[in-house]
Amino acid sequence: MRRVEPEFLNNPVKGKAGKDEIGFLITNYNEMISRMDELVNHVQKVEMLKKEADFKMLQAQIQPHFLYNTLETMRMLARSNKDYKVAEMALSLGNLFRYSLSKSEHTTLRDELDHVSTYIAIHQIRMSDLEVEFQVEEMLLSLPCPRFILQPLVENSMIHGLSRNRGSKRITLRIARKHGYVWIEVADNGSGISEQQIKSLQRLLEGSIIKHESQHKTTGIGLSNVAERVKAYYGKESSLGIISTPGKETVCCLKLLLKEEYSNAQTTDCG
């Protein structure tokens, strides 16, 4: 017992313990020393992880502010040089990062729509032929929702629908209420998706196949993530589906189940 020190607990009694009372004490003493050593190591590890987490949190606080300040400096320099397009892009990018780096997990459809509008505005600077139309029922924009359920749908249209379209590029975003659900549709006039690909994606969105089996890794994982989160947030009756006509259009349909109290409130507002 004298050999055990606070800095070095793992110093058990060596030798074979007998079956008498002394042997019983030796066995339990060794087990106690071993357990104390494990607990000390665990506490030290937790303390190290806490310090590391605190450091990363500090980094996370510094980096966004540095990013925002840099973008604001770029915007002011661009404006002073009368390069208003670059200034507008820096402003939009700053707003995009502010929303993306926010710690809040929940938002409203209005904020989601504003975020998507900013995202689209950045793309329109380099895609001057991109046309976007919003068909939105204003009363639905106060609906609470998870963050980032609209951008993956629009991004899917940008990257996989319109990227190979040499003609006019058009995206239509619709938000409407039908039979106790909020329907959100993102339609594009792109190249479309084959029937086989649609079936594969739909199975992924329904959870019939696991993510790494999907051939459409970027699209599938982004859309399946949205499908999983809306089901967790609004209930299993909510869903995400895809309808496509090859060579003509693709429509992503997000179906969100309205909670009873919200649905009743909307009915009252409608008179």
Side-chain angles (χ1 to χ4, degrees):
M1 292 180 70
R2 289 193 183 98
R3 289 201 301 270
V4 176
E5 299 176 359
E7 294 81 9
F8 184 63
L9 291 172
N10 193 14
N11 197 350
V13 176
K14 298 180 181 179
K16 187 176 180 180
K19 295 182 179 181
D20 54 6
E21 292 86 346
I22 301 300
F24 176 78
L25 289 172
I26 290 173
T27 300
N28 283 274
Y29 171 78
N30 286 344
E31 289 177 357
M32 180 185 68
I33 292 296
S34 177
R35 179 60 178 157
M36 288 175 66
D37 190 56
E38 289 177 7
L39 291 172
V40 169
N41 289 333
H42 177 71
V43 169
Q44 290 176 342
K45 186 176 181 180
V46 169
E47 189 64 27
M48 288 177 62
L49 290 173
K50 184 178 181 300
K51 289 181 180 179
E52 184 178 355
D54 290 341
F55 178 70
K56 288 183 177 179
M57 186 179 296
L58 180 62
Q59 278 186 319
Q61 290 174 345
I62 293 172
Q63 289 172 357
H65 286 93
F66 175 74
L67 181 63
Y68 302 150
N69 292 337
T70 302
L71 286 170
E72 182 62 18
T73 302
M74 290 170 59
R75 187 176 78 87
M76 296 305 295
L77 285 172
R79 285 185 63 85
S80 65
N81 293 328
K82 296 184 178 181
D83 195 338
Y84 300 114
K85 186 169 287 188
V86 173
E88 180 186 347
M89 196 170 190
L91 178 63
S92 297
L93 190 59
N95 292 334
L96 195 74
F97 282 141
R98 279 187 178 89
Y99 187 84
S100 300
L101 296 173
S102 172
K103 295 180 181 179
S104 174
E105 295 181 4
H106 311 292
T107 186
T108 62
L109 278 181
R110 186 182 303 280
D111 290 338
E112 273 289 283
L113 195 61
D114 289 343
H115 173 67
V116 164
S117 299
T118 301
Y119 176 80
I120 291 172
I122 292 175
H123 279 277
Q124 284 181 313
I125 292 174
R126 66 180 184 85
M127 298 169 63
S128 57
D129 56 348
L130 175 62
E131 299 177 6
V132 181
E133 181 182 2
F134 295 97
Q135 300 173 3
V136 178
E137 291 187 18
E138 184 72 21
M139 66 180 66
L140 296 174
L141 294 182
S142 60
L143 179 71
C145 67
R147 285 156 48 80
F148 302 111
I149 61 171
L150 296 186
Q151 183 185 331
L153 276 61
V154 174
E155 186 176 7
N156 179 65
S157 292
M158 293 274 196
I159 297 175
H160 301 280
L162 301 177
S163 60
R164 290 171 292 185
N165 193 345
R166 294 185 178 180
S168 63
K169 300 175 177 64
R170 187 180 67 255
I171 292 177
T172 304
L173 194 154
R174 308 181 186 94
I175 302 178
R177 183 165 65 96
K178 300 177 186 177
H179 309 297
Y181 291 88
V182 172
W183 286 79
I184 300 175
E185 296 181 354
V186 176
D188 66 72
N189 66 334
S191 55
I193 306 174
S194 70
E195 184 178 352
Q196 184 178 356
Q197 290 175 324
I198 286 288
K199 288 180 179 179
S200 176
L201 278 171
Q202 201 61 53
R203 286 170 58 207
L204 178 67
L205 297 177
E206 293 169 356
S208 301
I209 58 175
I210 55 179
K211 293 178 183 178
H212 65 75
E213 291 180 357
S214 173
Q215 296 178 354
H216 319 284
K217 293 183 179 179
T218 305
T219 306
I221 292 175
L223 296 182
S224 65
N225 180 271
V226 173
E228 290 171 2
R229 288 189 295 119
V230 297
K231 286 179 182 178
Y233 194 91
Y234 296 103
K236 293 184 179 179
E237 293 182 47
S238 301
S239 62
L240 173 61
I242 301 177
I243 303 170
S244 183
T245 303
K248 187 177 180 181
E249 68 171 2
T250 299
V251 183
C252 289
C253 308
L254 199 56
K255 182 181 174 185
L256 311 178
L257 177 65
L258 280 173
K259 293 182 179 179
E260 185 175 353
E261 61 270 21
Y262 189 86
S263 184
N264 290 338
Q266 293 300 324
T267 303
T268 303
D269 292 341
C270 291

